[in-house]
Amino acid sequence: TRPKTSAPAPIKVAVALPDSRLGYFKWGGPVWAFAGEYMLCWCADRGDSCREAKHFNHPVSLMKVTGPQVLPSVSQVFTCIRGRKCGIVQYQGTMEEGSMLMISRDPCGNPPPYGAPREGRSLSSPEGTTYDWGSEPITLKPELYRLCWCPNMVVCVEPSSFTSYAGVLRVKGITQTPETWYCAVGRPCNVSGIVGVGQHSEDKVMALSGCGHGQAPEGFTREGISISTADDGTSFILPASTQGGRYKLCWCPGEGMCARGPDFETQIGNLVVG
């Protein structure tokens, strides 16, 4: 028997609505088409002859739909570290220079949440793939937020100008930890129970006299920097210490360099070695 063959999927066509002005064409609603270039094709209206794609066989020009690559094809996710400057690179889409992004917890078009730098608005993008929120640190609660896009053809000031969903911003940070960890002299120390957003195996912790500026303790090998991290970033193993003491336990996100004291700016608790 011959295998059954499925019929080819019909070509979707978006037919313009009638317009009283000669040479004008409109579609009447918001454009949900995927960002990219489309061919505009013409059909000579003779009754009901302009209903199917095969009737539009005269190419007119290209139409470019600008905007970010989003659902249903892809939803882009970017990460910024709480307490640090926020920036995005390699954004995918057909966004032109001068466009902007806004951070929002609610659907696009609503005001930004408290703690978003520059009232949630990014600086104008120099080329459409890089977006930056300047030198002001992002202090939003660690969780997921919407990114909303505003094209350069409008004034991007009010939240109502940022109506196009553009992806997800993950604000990474620690949200919950035990207050104090206790370790024994001469043994590696297990530091666990660390809860947050965006954690992974490249994150590290360090024992310091003060996070971000303190001195590394003399008794620890590897200057008190953790020697291993769980895959989900919720627990660490600190190297053994040859002497007791009380320290600050400081955290460094793996997106940066975690090699020395100033890299470990966030205190997540206290460490007692005895």
Side-chain angles (χ1 to χ4, degrees):
T1 59
R2 294 182 179 179
K4 295 182 179 180
T5 58
S6 58
I11 300 176
K12 294 182 179 180
V13 57
V15 181
L17 299 174
D19 195 296
S20 58
R21 298 167 296 179
L22 184 63
Y24 282 79
F25 299 90
K26 60 185 179 182
W27 281 263
V31 178
W32 297 107
F34 191 70
E37 291 186 343
Y38 295 83
M39 177 64 70
L40 284 178
C41 303
W42 180 76
C43 171
D45 187 13
R46 298 188 182 94
D48 295 333
S49 61
C50 295
R51 291 193 173 190
E52 300 180 25
K54 63 182 180 181
H55 299 148
F56 294 82
N57 49 19
H58 297 282
V60 176
S61 66
L62 288 176
M63 181 176 70
K64 187 175 183 180
V65 177
T66 62
Q69 283 188 353
V70 292
L71 296 172
S73 295
V74 65
S75 186
Q76 301 181 70
V77 181
F78 298 90
T79 299
C80 284
I81 311 301
R82 188 176 190 271
R84 300 188 179 183
K85 296 185 294 183
C86 183
I88 290 174
V89 296
Q90 297 181 348
Y91 215 105
Q92 302 296 315
T94 58
M95 301 177 290
E96 299 177 350
E97 62 179 273
S99 58
M100 299 170 64
L101 291 175
M102 174 173 278
I103 303 170
S104 179
R105 178 182 281 114
D106 302 313
C108 291
N110 285 284
Y114 178 78
R118 289 177 43 83
E119 298 183 338
R121 299 187 304 269
S122 72
L123 298 168
S124 298
S125 176
E127 74 300 90
T129 62
T130 302
Y131 294 85
D132 188 86
W133 278 263
S135 59
E136 183 182 347
I138 186 169
T139 58
L140 289 169
K141 177 184 176 182
E143 59 180 64
L144 300 180
Y145 297 87
R146 292 177 176 86
L147 288 171
C148 305
W149 178 69
C150 177
N152 62 355
M153 62 186 68
V154 300
V155 179
C156 302
V157 176
E158 298 298 326
S160 57
S161 300
F162 295 80
T163 56
S164 296
Y165 170 74
V168 175
L169 177 68
R170 178 194 292 118
V171 177
K172 180 175 179 176
I174 303 301
T175 58
Q176 181 180 350
T177 68
E179 184 177 344
T180 305
W181 289 271
Y182 297 90
C183 298
V185 171
R187 296 182 181 180
C189 180
N190 182 22
V191 175
S192 59
I194 300 170
V195 180
V197 175
Q199 299 158 266
H200 54 70
S201 60
E202 298 299 318
D203 301 339
K204 294 181 180 180
V205 295
M206 182 179 187
L208 284 166
S209 59
C211 294
H213 58 80
Q215 298 296 319
E218 296 181 357
F220 281 95
T221 58
R222 291 175 52 89
E223 296 187 333
I225 299 176
S226 56
I227 55 179
S228 67
T229 307
D231 291 340
D232 59 2
T234 60
S235 63
F236 304 83
I237 301 295
L238 283 170
S241 176
T242 59
Q243 62 186 38
R246 294 177 177 269
Y247 310 98
K248 307 297 183 184
L249 192 64
C250 309
W251 176 78
C252 174
E255 285 76 8
M257 293 290 293
C258 300
R260 55 194 184 91
D263 300 328
F264 295 78
E265 299 176 324
T266 304
Q267 180 177 343
I268 60 174
N270 300 299
L271 178 69
V272 178
V273 179

